[in-house]
Amino acid sequence: MNKKTDPSGVSAEHLKIANAVEHYVSHGGVINVVPEGTTGESAHPTGPASGADCELEMDTKLELLKGLVAKGAGVSALQYSLRMNRKDIKRLASENGLKIRYSRPVRRTRSTRSRETTTVDDVVAGHAMHYSTLGYTVPEIAQLLGLGVRDVWDIGQAYRFEFNKNREHGDMAQAAPEDKADRD
């Protein structure tokens, strides 16, 4: 509960820090003093050391650019990774003989089968409606008839028939087609 204080006013931690600083400086280390009123982040060293850092940073960015371009990254992805603007990225790429292509899509495009409309005859449509009245859902009907789910929904739209969305176990409610008399 009671704190013991050092009567000399200098704690052991302060002495350890002072010894470490003296050791660092004696071995060639340089400590930059930050002027009062500014922060350490705004006080950047200037001179030959910063030029070497800039060159090293550009070499690192160039290697990263080469790797990303080889993977097919686009300009927007490069901007994010390199933290550079478009103009600087394109300049760096052209200076080093790199060609930036547009980014490749991550997912495959949809298959052509899903885009083409299939013509379904009345027999298949009749089977689909019959399975629906028996209580089958659209994915089950599609599997039984060898169709896609979208094709089954298109049948329902073409024949003005509402398919069951949820499996109804108890009462097997039937969906009555509208205008059935008009089709017969």
Side-chain angles (χ1 to χ4, degrees), residues 14-166:
H14 287 86
L15 290 175
K16 287 180 183 177
I17 292 173
N19 289 334
V21 168
E22 286 178 25
H23 178 72
Y24 177 73
V25 171
S26 67
H27 283 82
V30 178
I31 298 176
N32 293 330
V33 178
V34 178
E36 194 165 329
T38 62
T39 62
E41 295 151 356
S42 64
H44 293 292
T46 57
S50 66
D53 290 342
C54 182
E55 189 174 320
L56 180 64
E57 181 181 349
M58 287 307 288
D59 289 341
T60 306
K61 285 186 178 186
L62 178 62
E63 291 302 316
L64 183 60
L65 176 68
K66 286 179 181 178
L68 291 172
V69 166
K71 291 179 182 177
V75 178
S76 298
L78 293 172
Q79 278 183 290
Y80 181 76
S81 298
L82 298 173
R83 302 198 189 287
M84 296 172 70
N85 61 26
R86 287 180 183 266
K87 182 180 173 184
D88 291 338
I89 290 172
K90 289 180 180 180
R91 180 188 49 79
L92 185 63
S94 66
E95 286 175 357
N96 294 290
L98 298 173
K99 184 174 180 180
I100 300 172
R101 296 188 181 125
Y102 292 103
S103 61
R104 293 181 226 151
V106 175
R107 295 183 340 165
R108 295 185 327 173
T109 57
R110 298 187 103 176
S111 65
T112 56
R113 180 193 162 294
S114 64
R115 292 185 185 188
E116 54 190 41
T117 57
T118 57
T119 56
V120 179
D121 59 350
D122 292 335
V123 175
V124 175
H127 285 298
M129 289 186 274
H130 175 71
Y131 285 129
S132 178
T133 57
L134 292 175
Y136 288 96
T137 61
V138 172
E140 293 169 336
I141 295 169
Q143 185 178 14
L144 287 169
L145 297 176
L147 299 172
V149 174
R150 173 55 43 200
D151 296 332
V152 176
W153 284 115
D154 289 342
I155 289 171
Q157 188 176 17
Y159 286 88
R160 296 183 188 154
F161 184 82
E162 185 176 330
F163 288 104
N164 292 335
K165 295 178 183 172
N166 297 325

